[in-house]
Amino acid sequence: MNTAKKVVALTLSAAMLAGCGSSSSSATKTFNFAADTDISSLDSTVATDGTSFDAIHAFTDGLEIVNEKGQTAPGIAKSYDVSKDKKTYTFHLRDTNWVDYSGKKYAKVTANDFVYSWQRIIKNAGEYAYMLGSGGANLVNADKLIAKGAKASKAELNTLGVKAKDDQTLVVTLASPVPFFIGLMTFACYYPINEKFAESKGKNYAATYKDVLTNGAFRMTAWTKGKSCDYTKNTSYWDKSVVKLDGMKWQLAVDPKSAAASFDAGNLDYAPLTSSLVDKYKNNKAFYTYQDGFLHYLMPNLKNKALANKNIRKGLSLALNREELCSKILKDGSTESNGFVPKGLSKSPKGVDFRADVKEDYTKYDLKEAQKAFDKGLKELGKKSIELSILYGTDEIAMKDIAVFTQSCWSKLKGLKLNMVATVKQDRVNTREPKGEFDISVTRWGPDYADPTTYLNICTTGNSFNRGKWSNKEYDKLCEKIRTESNLTKRWDMMKKAEKILMEDYGEIPLFDKGGCALKSTKVKGLVHMSAGVPYTFAFIDMK
């Protein structure tokens, strides 16, 4: 998922709540949630960042959902059948409704809502369109249609491997089997959208909370961009008996220091912490840690002639003391990355974690060898020194600390002059990176599903998130074979080989596997956190 994608820090505030971390009154239960960034879009075919995914996830169910145990479970699809060749999935939808922001029923949720949404993301040339193709679900004809994007005709879009057999039956046909297909169906880019409603709104679809429909546990009842949004329990929800909350209040783009202070004052239920706050709160009963699944890394722009040199990239990577970054700067449970696929993401057919199975450490720290590689690179470039800029978002948790630490490590390399380029997340993600207006970007990626390809695919040639433009023909061919390989052991070995190619060429420079920490009221129960897919599920929260 997009560097911008996925993980969200939370803070919560409610006037009716009080105590160490707020507590709900006997009359109502409100969970107040705040993010460190703003919601960029409520359109599941457009959104790419974690805050937006969480916001949409709160009011929309897909074919599958994440249950209270963090497992994939039936959602809008009450059941499904799989063909013997594992290429055709027939989903049987439950009888449930779309409702508007006021709670008024609008229409039944039908199979066409999925057909329309999946075609829409291709037609909109959405950045997550690749997830319908060989980079994700691998639907029949998806790659060809994605290449056409907005130019694809309606007749052409109708060749996509998703059909509404009838209102309650959805048939999905894959080009080749995808072992993690069902797990994908919990992710936001596969959510349904009611065609009649969306078309009636035109360009204004999802522009405000009034311009979306809900089929999920909550309906959005207010949204002020850059400030806050409110949710109310959806009494028409198909599984409404599991929803204990009456609603939620979110604060958007909240500074973690302010959140912690509000938590101390008894006004919040859950407040994110940055590394600078860990020492103060680590012995507090409300201190809460988790693995958030994100890989933080440095993305070199290979359109820069200096960074196109492998030895320059190698020198930069070897000069980074990642262990020190995690233990002395972050202090939030983050651990040094040893490759591009994080620890704890997925296991081999024999049950061994990918990182443990690889065994190789691709991120060694050796300043002497770093300088040697860097000097070799300078000689190959015919230069005595080079100048590079480090791009980072000031409104993203830990990004400034990472950028400053990176600068301190690289300042030890002779022949390198550094500039720091501070911006905001939206500018970094939506403007500078896509346009290639950077040298080195401090970025991150959160897993959309629990398989190494959620990371490996973004480095293939032409992927919309491969913004550093690293390209390797052998790597691309391997990733293509991985998509069609049905032998799981062979597929696993191919993924290990692909990562080796990427890492030994220093196409990306991994930093650390992100840990998270927060203050969570002891009264908060049932908040489900996942390291892959949409991070937070709110439907099962209770305030006891």
Side-chain angles (χ1 to χ4, degrees):
M1 188 185 303
N2 179 338
T3 65
K5 181 186 99 158
K6 273 183 178 179
V7 158
V8 168
L10 315 173
T11 328
L12 316 165
S13 127
M16 83 260 311
L17 305 178
C20 180
S22 53
S23 59
S24 60
S25 70
S26 58
T28 61
K29 292 182 178 181
T30 302
F31 183 66
N32 296 283
F33 173 91
D36 64 321
T37 56
D38 195 11
I39 296 170
S40 65
S41 178
L42 294 178
D43 185 343
S44 59
T45 68
V46 173
T48 62
D49 63 283
T51 305
S52 297
F53 285 142
D54 277 335
I56 296 167
H57 183 50
F59 64 79
T60 315
D61 276 7
L63 291 167
E64 302 290 311
I65 62 170
V66 174
N67 66 16
E68 63 272 22
K69 295 181 180 179
Q71 302 168 334
T72 300
I76 298 302
K78 59 184 178 182
S79 64
Y80 63 87
D81 305 311
V82 188
S83 62
K84 288 184 179 180
D85 63 4
K86 298 182 181 180
K87 291 183 181 181
T88 303
Y89 288 75
T90 302
F91 292 94
H92 307 285
L93 309 190
R94 64 180 76 252
D95 183 11
T96 190
N97 294 283
W98 290 109
V99 301
D100 66 14
Y101 71 96
S102 70
K104 181 180 179 181
K105 291 182 180 180
Y106 180 85
K108 295 287 185 181
V109 178
T110 69
N112 184 66
D113 296 331
F114 291 92
V115 176
Y116 172 74
S117 177
W118 295 9
Q119 290 183 357
R120 178 185 172 91
I121 195 170
I122 292 175
K123 191 68 176 176
N124 285 348
E127 290 196 70
Y128 268 88
Y130 82 93
M131 289 282 282
L132 295 180
S134 53
N138 202 17
L139 272 62
V140 164
N141 290 329
D143 284 346
K144 293 180 181 178
L145 293 168
I146 291 166
K148 289 197 170 188
K151 294 180 180 179
S153 67
K154 180 61 177 176
E156 289 172 325
L157 288 171
N158 285 337
T159 67
L160 184 66
V162 56
K163 309 292 180 187
K165 184 176 180 180
D166 54 49
D167 282 354
Q168 302 306 112
T169 311
L170 182 74
V171 180
V172 180
T173 308
L174 312 184
S176 60
V178 176
F180 48 87
F181 176 77
I182 289 299
L184 284 176
M185 294 301 101
T186 66
F187 193 60
C189 69
Y190 303 103
Y191 288 172
I193 295 175
N194 181 274
E195 180 175 11
K196 181 180 177 181
F197 182 85
E199 292 299 313
S200 71
K201 295 293 182 178
K203 292 183 179 180
N204 289 325
Y205 175 73
T208 74
Y209 68 95
K210 295 182 179 181
D211 300 315
V212 292
L213 296 176
T214 177
N215 68 5
F218 302 93
R219 51 189 170 86
M220 186 178 278
T221 52
W223 177 29
T224 302
K225 291 183 179 180
K227 186 178 180 180
S228 64
C229 64
D230 295 345
Y231 290 91
T232 299
K233 179 179 178 177
N234 176 16
T235 56
S236 296
Y237 183 47
W238 65 269
D239 201 17
K240 63 182 179 182
S241 63
V242 305
V243 183
K244 308 302 181 186
L245 292 178
D246 295 296
M248 299 190 292
K249 289 184 178 293
W250 289 26
Q251 293 181 7
L252 302 170
V254 180
D255 175 71
K257 289 184 179 180
S258 299
S262 295
F263 187 94
D264 288 340
N267 298 322
L268 306 177
D269 300 302
Y270 190 111
L273 296 178
T274 57
S275 55
S276 63
L277 297 169
V278 171
D279 289 340
K280 180 179 179 180
Y281 290 102
K282 62 185 179 182
N283 295 320
N284 191 306
K285 289 183 179 180
F287 186 71
Y288 166 71
T289 62
Y290 54 89
Q291 288 300 123
D292 71 8
F294 268 72
L295 169 74
H296 280 62
Y297 62 104
L298 302 175
M299 180 166 57
N301 185 353
L302 271 66
K303 294 300 181 182
N304 179 303
K305 290 183 179 180
L307 291 171
N309 183 283
K310 176 182 174 179
N311 281 305
I312 293 294
R313 301 194 302 273
K314 180 179 180 179
L316 294 175
S317 181
L318 286 170
L320 294 166
N321 189 337
R322 297 166 177 85
E323 191 282 326
E324 185 176 307
L325 171 62
C326 294
S327 64
K328 296 184 178 181
I329 305 298
L330 299 174
K331 298 181 290 187
D332 59 0
S334 295
T335 57
E336 175 185 354
S337 295
N338 303 120
F340 201 63
V341 178
K343 297 176 283 290
L345 175 69
S346 62
K347 294 182 178 180
S348 72
K350 294 182 178 180
V352 182
D353 183 77
F354 187 87
R355 279 270 59 84
D357 201 32
V358 169
K359 297 182 176 64
E360 295 188 58
D361 182 358
Y362 296 117
T363 59
K364 295 177 181 177
Y365 169 61
D366 189 326
L367 189 56
K368 184 177 180 180
E369 287 299 313
Q371 188 66 61
K372 185 183 297 185
F374 196 78
D375 288 343
K376 186 176 180 180
L378 288 175
K379 185 176 181 180
E380 291 168 346
L381 292 168
K383 295 179 177 292
K384 292 185 177 181
S385 65
I386 58 173
E387 184 174 343
L388 297 174
S389 297
I390 301 173
L391 175 69
Y392 66 97
T394 57
D395 59 343
E396 302 177 80
I397 288 181
M399 291 302 204
K400 181 178 179 180
D401 291 337
I402 298 166
V404 171
F405 184 83
T406 298
Q407 180 190 39
S408 70
C409 288
W410 287 352
S411 65
K412 298 174 184 177
L413 287 173
K414 297 175 182 179
L416 176 60
K417 181 180 179 181
L418 294 168
N419 299 310
M420 302 293 278
V421 180
T423 185
V424 294
K425 180 180 179 180
Q426 294 300 330
D427 180 52
R428 176 181 71 81
V429 172
N430 297 326
T431 303
R432 294 182 185 243
E433 287 182 356
K435 291 183 178 180
E437 297 174 350
F438 68 97
D439 292 337
I440 301 279
S441 180
V442 182
T443 188
R444 63 184 184 177
W445 185 264
D448 299 325
Y449 50 92
D451 186 82
T453 56
T454 192
Y455 286 93
L456 299 177
N457 284 339
I458 64 174
C459 298
T460 55
T461 303
N463 187 285
S464 59
F465 292 109
N466 183 0
R467 293 167 174 176
K469 304 304 180 184
W470 178 78
S471 181
N472 182 287
K473 290 182 179 179
E474 185 181 0
Y475 183 87
D476 290 343
K477 288 179 181 178
L478 259 179
C479 287
E480 182 62 35
K481 289 180 180 178
I482 290 166
R483 291 164 190 151
T484 58
E485 180 56 63
S486 58
N487 183 300
L488 297 182
T489 299
K490 288 183 179 180
R491 180 177 182 274
W492 188 260
D493 289 340
M494 287 178 185
M495 291 190 289
K496 289 162 61 177
K497 185 177 180 181
E499 189 198 41
K500 183 180 180 70
I501 292 171
L502 172 65
M503 291 291 92
E504 291 189 345
D505 198 46
Y506 301 92
E508 307 285 4
I509 303 175
L511 291 174
F512 60 90
D513 301 346
K514 184 71 170 63
C517 55
L519 295 172
K520 183 176 72 170
S521 170
T522 56
K523 295 182 181 296
V524 174
K525 308 295 181 183
L527 174 62
V528 179
H529 181 268
M530 301 291 290
S531 60
V534 179
Y536 291 96
T537 294
F538 310 100
F540 310 104
I541 295 175
D542 199 359
M543 311 284 287
K544 297 181 179 180

